[in-house]
């Protein structure tokens, strides 16, 4: 049984993890930022060092291709994830999948193993969707779910244009996204939730992924004096925003979904002025499409009610809309069997997070492998996966990719 080089994988996770850490210790590599460039440059250098053909496509996806004289031209097995992060992020989200993908190729080359199919490892652009939305943008374009032109024209939360920023950091590639359709796609990722850690599982065979809906909400009220304005005369955009957040929490308590108001800004944002404007985002998710659609309808109805009761005007803009996805049953069985051969405890999992795999599933048989996140913490610098857990996942990843690349 071939094993990956655990020491090299660990070192690279920590080396990449140091990229984009500011003086205050916060790690942030937002898409197409200077910090993202630094991460991309590092991973591209490792891909080159591994002897891969490095390709950047027009949406900035960074791809390392391992092909031989014998297998050139065969549909490849693709692995990969992302190396962009949220704000003040952990160091495993996405990065583990990219680095373990590179590691398995390095291991196979070093052990003189040859596969019938080429293997490609990818780092997809803008998986997190914090600066530009929707999230999973690079893999969405790669899978043909959005035109490259439209994606490149996306305006970020900071007013920048994605295509211009990719050019500025030197990652405006020339190759058409989707230039090759994989025979299969497999992504290794941390669970980012508490289940596997709490229940003592080593490997998650991810067979489903929940649906995601993101929307921007703008509430227009009336600025007025915080002291002199009687309650009955207020059109308080800030209060209305708070009511929406509570409504969403109560709504998903009934539907079995989750809701998050992750960003919010008031205008004029002064301690003694009733907010005239509130701008915030709502992130709704549910593994059940019908429930998710219903929650969206309930929220839309509530916003109309709120306009009456709170004397405000409310407009919304949808910025992400992805239905739940089922992954490939055959690959999930391979993951479970490979874990069993290694004496690792495996269970089926549903991904609560959006993933690049959900986009690749549109064009080829796809699945994911999860490894545990201690206490389920993620999108937080406390995010942690033990060296052994990462190595277990990377070895099962290696086993399954080998099977897929030789069938
Ligand atoms: O939002 C998500 O689920 C992912 O981290 N982009
Ligand atoms: Mn991720
Ligand atoms: Mn993430």
């Amino acid at each position: 049984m071939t094993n990956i080089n655990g020491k090299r994988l660990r070192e690279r996770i920590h080396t990449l993890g140091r990229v984009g850490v500011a003086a205050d210790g916060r790690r942030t590599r937002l898409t197409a930022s200077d910090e993202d460039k630094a991460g991309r440059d590092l991973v591209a250098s490792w891909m080159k060092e591994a002897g891969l053909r490095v390709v950047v496509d027009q949406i900035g996806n960074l791809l390392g291709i391992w092909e031989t004289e014998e297998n050139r031209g065969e549909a490849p097995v693709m692995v990969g994830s992302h190396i962009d992060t949220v704000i003040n992020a952990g160091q495993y989200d996405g990065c583990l999948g990219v680095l373990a993908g590179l590691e398995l190729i390095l291991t196979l080359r070093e052990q003189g193993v040859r596969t019938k199919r080429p293997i490609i490892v990818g780092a997809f652009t803008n998986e997190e969707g914090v600066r530009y939305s929707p999230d999973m943008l690079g893999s969405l374009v790669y899978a043909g779910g959005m035109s490259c032109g439209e994606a490149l024209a996306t305006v970020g939360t900071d007013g920048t244009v994605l295509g211009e920023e990719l050019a500025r950091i030197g990652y405006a590639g020339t190759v058409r996204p989707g230039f090759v359709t994989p025979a299969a796609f497999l992504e290794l990722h941390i669970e980012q939730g508490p289940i596997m850690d709490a229940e003592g599982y080593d490997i998650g065979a991810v067979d489903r992924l929940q649906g995601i809906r993101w929307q921007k909400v703008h509430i227009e009220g009336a600025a007025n004096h915080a002291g002199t304005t009687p309650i009955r005369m207020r059109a308080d955009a800030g209060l209305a925003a708070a009511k929406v957040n509570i409504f969403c929490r109560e709504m998903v308590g009934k539907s079995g979904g989750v809701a998050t108001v992750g960003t919010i800004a008031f205008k004029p944002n002064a301690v003694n002025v009733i907010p005239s404007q509130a701008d915030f985002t709502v992130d709704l998710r549910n593994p059940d499409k019908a429930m998710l659609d219903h929650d969206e309808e309930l929220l839309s109805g509530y916003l109309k009610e709120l306009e009456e009761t709170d004397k405000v005007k409310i407009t919304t803009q949808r910025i992400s809309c992805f239905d739940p996805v089922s992954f490939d049953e055959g690959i999930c069985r391979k993951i479970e069997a490979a874990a069993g051969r290694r004496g690792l405890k495996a269970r089926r999992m549903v991904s609560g997070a959006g993933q690049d795999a959900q986009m690749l599933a549109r064009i080829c048989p796809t699945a994911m492998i999860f490894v545990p996140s201690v206490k389920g913490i993620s999108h937080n610098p406390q995010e942690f996966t033990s060296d052994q857990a990462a190595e277990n996942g990377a070895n099962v990843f290696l086993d399954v990719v080998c099977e897929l690349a030789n069938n």
Side-chain angles (χ1 to χ4, degrees), residues 90-402:
Q91 66 174 358
Y92 297 88
D93 177 2
C95 302
L96 175 63
V98 174
L99 296 177
L102 182 53
E103 176 53 39
L104 73 86
I105 293 175
L106 270 168
T107 298
L108 293 174
R109 289 175 65 101
E110 284 164 354
Q111 312 253 341
V113 176
R114 285 291 172 268
T115 54
K116 289 184 190 147
R117 296 181 178 285
I119 301 175
I120 298 179
V121 55
F124 292 101
T125 297
N126 194 48
E127 191 278 346
E128 291 295 3
V130 170
R131 189 183 184 193
Y132 303 98
S133 48
D135 50 349
M136 288 78 71
L137 187 52
S139 47
L140 175 66
V141 170
Y142 192 91
M146 183 182 202
S147 83
C148 193
E150 186 188 349
L152 290 170
T154 306
V155 177
T157 51
D158 55 3
T160 58
V161 179
L162 176 56
E164 292 168 12
E165 281 294 277
L166 284 172
R168 184 183 66 81
I169 66 165
Y171 282 89
T174 52
V175 173
R176 179 182 61 81
F179 66 98
V180 64
T181 300
F185 180 83
L186 187 59
E187 180 171 3
L188 172 66
H189 205 286
I190 54 172
E191 178 200 340
Q192 299 181 285
I195 297 169
M196 292 173 67
D197 183 44
E199 298 180 3
Y201 284 94
D202 306 300
I203 297 293
V206 185
D207 55 12
R208 282 179 303 138
L209 185 146
Q210 67 179 343
I212 303 173
R213 302 277 197 279
W214 286 359
Q215 57 182 298
K216 283 181 184 170
V217 181
H218 175 79
I219 299 183
E220 197 80 30
N224 216 326
H225 196 297
T228 58
T229 313
I231 295 297
R232 60 183 165 70
M233 291 176 66
R234 293 183 180 215
D236 183 338
L239 178 71
K243 288 180 174 180
V244 173
N245 200 347
I246 290 168
F247 175 85
C248 287
R249 172 61 64 88
E250 287 164 358
M251 174 179 75
V252 296
K254 297 183 195 112
S255 69
V258 286
T260 311
V261 173
T263 68
I264 191 159
F266 291 154
K267 283 207 173 107
N269 202 37
V271 61
N272 54 0
V273 179
I274 298 167
S276 56
Q277 281 184 29
D279 285 287
F280 57 99
T281 52
V282 176
D283 175 325
L284 294 178
R285 308 199 191 195
N286 198 305
D288 179 311
K289 180 179 179 329
M291 285 288 195
L292 188 55
D293 291 343
H294 187 239
D295 276 356
E296 270 204 315
E297 279 158 31
L298 289 177
L299 175 55
S300 167
Y302 180 67
L303 296 179
K304 287 195 180 55
E305 240 180 75
L306 211 47
E307 286 189 303
E308 296 304 314
T309 57
D310 285 46
K311 301 190 289 294
V312 292
K313 286 304 297 152
I314 300 179
T315 54
T316 61
Q317 181 199 350
R318 182 180 260 184
I319 53 175
S320 243
C321 177
F322 300 124
D323 288 344
V325 167
S326 293
F327 289 131
D328 184 85
E329 179 59 23
I331 300 177
C332 285
R333 290 212 185 116
K334 289 186 189 320
I335 294 167
E336 289 168 316
R341 288 193 296 273
R342 287 184 179 271
L344 298 171
K345 233 181 120 188
R347 58 159 284 172
R348 291 295 175 100
M349 290 295 288
V350 179
S351 177
Q355 310 283 5
D356 291 308
Q358 80 186 85
M359 302 308 171
L360 273 292
R362 296 175 182 215
I363 57 173
C364 66
T366 295
M368 294 185 73
I369 300 170
F370 271 176
V371 289
S373 298
V374 171
K375 296 198 183 72
I377 297 171
S378 184
H379 284 188
N380 175 317
Q382 301 304 317
E383 180 182 281
F384 181 71
T385 291
S386 72
D387 293 342
Q388 188 55 60
E391 201 165 326
N392 291 341
N395 280 325
V396 170
F397 194 29
L398 168 68
D399 297 343
V400 178
V401 168
C402 271

